[in-house]
Amino acid sequence: MLDIPSSVSVDVEALLAAQNHMGVCDAIEQYAPVGKPDAMTTPHFPKVAGIDSTVPPPAHTVAPASPAPPSSPGAPGAPGAPGALIQDRLAGWVSDLTTLHELTERLARTAVMDDALHEVLRAGAALVGARRGLVVLEPADGLGPDTTVGLGLARADLGHIETVPRGATSYGKILDRTDGTGEPEVHADLLSEDGLDPRHREVAARLGYAASFALPLATEAAGRLGAAVWLYDEPAEPVERQRHLVGLYTRYATEHLARLLELERARTKSRTIAEELLPPRLPRVAGVQLAARRRTGPRGGGDWYDALPLPEGALGLTVGSVTGSGASAVAAMGRLRASLRAYAVMEGEDPVAVLSDLELLLRLTEPARSATALFAYCEPALRKIVLAGAGHSPPLVIGERRTEFVETSLSAPLGMLACWEAPSVELSPEPGETVLLYTDGLLHRTGDPMDRAFARLHAAAAGVPRTIRDDPGAIADHVLHTVLPDGLDAADSNEDVVLLAARFE
C-alpha cells in the first residue's frame, strides 16, 4: 500500500531495533483519534539510498538531540547520521503499514454493507483525527441502494445535514462531479469561510462542527460509490501523512464496498424473484382464516407455500421445499409450485394423485433434485381435511383441548424413488382449531437434534396465549418467535422457513 523503493538496502538488525522502539499505539485498536504529528526537525536530506524524499515524513521520528560537537558520532555531518534517518523513516513506514493492515483486516471481516460503512467511518476518523462523520452511499450507475450512515450523529442530525443544499455540502460537491473522483474537499475553518451557504453555516453551528474533510469512495475498477466526510469540533485539517494514509485506506475500502454492493444486489434480486413466485395474497374462503410467514436466507431458497381455491368451495393448502439454494433452487421451486397448482385443480380431492404426478414431473425435469411436499384438500364447510406428504414434517393441530401432530404415513421425498405413493390421512379439526403447516427449516434453524426440535415446536404451540388463538397470523408469529428466539428467525441462514396457518371456524 505504501510505495517503498525496492533499491533500499538496510541492515536487518538496525531495522529490528528501530521497530522495537516504535510500537503500535493502542489507541488505534480502540479507534482513538490520531493527533497532529510534531514537526520533523531533522534536516530534509535529498534522495538517500534510493528513498524518495518527497514521501511525507512519518510521525514516529526520533526526538531531536542536543547539538553535538562536529567530531562526535551523532553530529549531523557524522557518517552515522544518514543511516539513523533511514532507520527512523523505515520504522515509521512499518508502523503505518501495521496500522493500515489492522484497519483493513477489520474491514475485510465485515459481510454486510451497513457494518462495512460504519467500519469505514470509524477507521477514517482514527486516521484523520476526527470524532464524527458520515458516509453517503450513492452508486454512479443509479441502481442503488442509496443510504446515509453517520458516526457520532443521530438520525435527526443527519436529517439536519440533508436540509443543506446538496451543492453546498462536501459530499454533494464530490458526488456531482462527472466521475466522482479527484481531490478531497477540505474546509479547515468552515464558519469563517466567505460565501458559505447560510443554511450550511446554521447547521454547522447547531451541530457543533467547525471543519470537515471529505474523500470520494471511488476507483477506476469500482467506479463512484459515494463519499465519506469527517467532521472536526474545532478548525483543523489532516496533515499530509494523515491524508496519505486515509487515501490508501479508502481506496481499499471502496473495492470492498463494491464487492458487498454486488452481493447485496444479487440477494435483493433473488428475494424479489422468490416473492414474486409466491402468492401475493392469500384467498378468502368461507369457514377458514389463513395466514403465512416466510423467512429466507441471504442466497434465497426453495421453500414455498400456497393456498388455492378449488371447485365446490374447497381449498388446497400446500407447503414444500426444494433442495439447494440460490437462483436455481428458486427457479425450481417456481416450476414445482406452478405444476402442483395445475394438478390440484384437476385432481385435488385426491392428494396422493397430486403428489404422484409431481413426483413424475420432478424425475423427468429435475433429475438432480429432490423435494419434500405436503398437500391438503380442505372442505371448510365440513371441517374436513384429506392430506398426504412426501418426506415432509407432519402438520400440527393447535386448539383449546389439544395440541398434537397429525399422524401421517412415512414416505421418501419426491425424486428419491422410482415411483412415489403413500396413503393419505383424514383429519377433522374442531371449531376454533388451527392447523399449522411448516417446512423443515423451522426445525433445522434451532440447531437442535430433530427430536428436541419437535419438542420445542410442540411446546411453543401449546403455549399460545388464549388471547390470540382467534388470529392465525398471531399464532404463526408466536410459534416462530418462540421456536427461534433472540432473532434467530431473522438471522442469515441457509435454511428457509415457511409457516402456513389455517384456522377453522
Side-chain angles (χ1 to χ4, degrees), residues 119-497:
E119 182 64 30
V120 169
L121 280 176
R122 287 192 292 265
L127 291 173
V128 303
R131 187 173 64 88
R132 294 180 291 175
L134 68 153
V135 59
V136 179
L137 186 68
E138 189 177 300
D141 57 14
L143 300 178
D146 297 345
T147 186
T148 301
V149 174
L151 172 68
L153 298 171
R155 182 171 298 180
D157 299 334
L158 294 176
H160 287 305
I161 293 175
E162 290 176 350
T163 62
V164 179
R166 179 185 175 95
T169 61
S170 299
Y171 66 84
K173 294 175 182 177
I174 290 176
L175 296 177
D176 289 342
R177 295 171 186 168
T178 303
D179 55 358
T181 61
E183 296 298 320
E185 287 286 334
V186 184
H187 298 275
D189 192 354
L190 193 65
L191 299 180
S192 65
E193 290 184 3
D194 295 332
L196 183 66
D197 183 84
R199 180 56 184 167
H200 196 179
R201 185 184 304 274
E202 178 184 350
V203 170
R206 180 169 186 171
L207 300 183
Y209 64 88
S212 66
F213 177 75
L215 279 176
L217 297 176
T219 63
E220 291 186 5
R224 189 209 74 196
L225 300 185
V229 185
W230 290 278
L231 306 175
Y232 297 88
D233 297 340
E234 298 177 353
E237 64 177 297
V239 297
E240 187 177 358
R241 166 183 163 268
Q242 291 173 316
R243 295 191 190 191
H244 182 61
L245 291 178
V246 76
L248 292 173
Y249 177 80
T250 53
R251 283 199 288 274
Y252 172 84
T254 300
E255 297 294 339
H256 181 70
L257 293 175
R259 291 190 290 269
L260 292 182
L261 180 64
E262 183 179 357
L263 181 60
E264 185 165 321
R265 286 176 174 177
R267 290 174 176 175
T268 301
K269 290 179 181 179
S270 179
R271 285 194 297 266
T272 302
I273 293 173
E275 290 171 359
E276 291 296 325
L277 291 175
L278 295 173
R281 64 181 63 87
L282 296 173
R284 294 184 178 181
V285 179
V288 65
Q289 295 175 289
L290 300 174
R293 299 292 184 266
R294 184 174 185 268
R295 301 289 187 270
T296 185
R299 296 184 59 193
D303 287 19
W304 82 80
Y305 67 90
D306 204 354
L308 178 66
L310 298 175
E312 300 179 0
L315 176 68
L317 301 176
T318 178
V319 294
S321 176
V322 176
T323 56
S325 60
S328 61
V330 172
M333 176 268 287
R335 291 190 291 268
L336 285 183
R337 174 180 166 268
S339 301
L340 192 148
R341 289 174 68 93
Y343 299 146
V345 170
M346 294 185 294
E347 47 193 2
E349 66 280 357
D350 186 357
V352 172
V354 172
L355 294 183
S356 296
D357 292 342
L358 196 63
E359 157 72 20
L360 179 60
L361 176 73
L362 186 66
R363 285 194 291 111
L364 294 177
T365 61
E366 309 278 350
R369 293 189 183 276
S370 64
T372 66
L374 188 146
F375 179 76
Y377 179 79
C378 306
E379 297 179 86
L382 303 177
R383 291 196 304 277
K384 176 183 176 182
I385 301 177
V386 180
L387 61 88
H392 208 81
S393 300
L396 187 60
V397 180
I398 305 172
E400 294 287 344
R401 300 180 180 179
R402 61 172 176 169
T403 299
E404 60 186 24
F405 292 102
V406 178
E407 294 186 5
T408 57
S409 57
L410 297 176
S411 71
L414 300 174
M416 299 291 288
L417 300 175
C419 180
W420 178 89
E421 184 171 346
S424 60
V425 297
E426 186 173 318
L427 172 67
S428 297
E430 298 293 330
E433 288 187 335
T434 298
V435 178
L436 183 67
L437 283 63
Y438 54 92
T439 57
D440 293 343
L442 179 64
L443 306 173
H444 293 316
R445 278 206 186 193
T446 64
D448 294 336
M450 291 303 289
D451 56 341
R452 294 183 59 184
F454 274 115
R456 178 184 290 192
L457 174 58
H458 186 275
V464 173
R466 291 178 178 270
T467 55
I468 65 172
R469 288 185 179 269
D470 293 340
D471 184 355
I475 292 175
D477 288 333
H478 173 84
V479 170
L480 183 62
H481 297 149
T482 304
V483 175
L484 301 175
D486 302 326
L488 282 177
D489 62 316
D492 284 349
S493 172
N494 292 329
E495 299 288 345
D496 283 10
V497 177

Side-chain angles (χ1 to χ4, degrees), residues 41-43 45 65-83:
T41 57
T42 307
F45 286 88
S66 58
S71 59
S72 65

